[in-house]
């Protein structure tokens, strides 16, 4: 399943990649925030994309990643 952001500000910088190749690295995550994000993403969609570097390491969006990983 692909969660496309509703509003794309920098279309030339966005690239669709397989969810399986993203490498998260943050350990301490706020579980309450993840639950809240799951509800928001279900209702509104993914409003902000995940940010990865050229090595597919997750730079920004660890909580969003956790919120959507069960759906992918």
């Amino acid at each position: 399943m692909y969660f496309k952001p509703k509003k794309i500000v920098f279309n030339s910088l966005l690239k669709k990649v397989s969810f399986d190749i993203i490498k998260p690295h943050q350990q301490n995550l706020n579980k309450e925030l993840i639950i809240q994000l799951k509800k928001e993403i279900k209702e509104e969609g993914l409003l902000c994309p995940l940010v990865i570097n050229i090595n597919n390491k997750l730079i920004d969006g660890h909580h969003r990643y956790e919120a959507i990983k069960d759906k992918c």
Side-chain angles (χ1 to χ4, degrees), residues 45-63:
L46 184 63
L47 300 177
C48 186
L50 303 175
V51 179
I52 60 174
N53 66 13
I54 59 172
N55 297 317
N56 300 317
K57 183 176 178 183
L58 187 59
I59 302 299
D60 183 50
H62 286 84
H63 289 92

Side-chain angles (χ1 to χ4, degrees), residues 9-63:
V9 179
F10 301 106
N11 192 32
S12 63
L13 299 177
L14 291 180
K15 181 173 112 177
K16 183 178 173 182
V17 298
S18 172
F19 195 80
D20 298 336
I21 67 169
I22 299 173
K23 302 171 192 167
H25 62 87
Q26 189 173 351
Q27 300 295 322
N28 300 322
L29 298 172
N30 182 331
K31 294 182 188 228
E32 291 178 18
L33 177 58
I34 294 170
I35 292 168
Q36 178 185 349
L37 285 169
K38 282 183 180 185
K39 291 177 187 175
E40 290 176 5
I41 291 169
K42 184 177 181 180
E43 293 171 4
E44 302 172 22
L46 184 63
L47 300 177
C48 186
L50 303 175
V51 179
I52 60 174
N53 66 13
I54 59 172
N55 297 317
N56 300 317
K57 183 176 178 183
L58 187 59
I59 302 299
D60 183 50
H62 286 84
H63 289 92

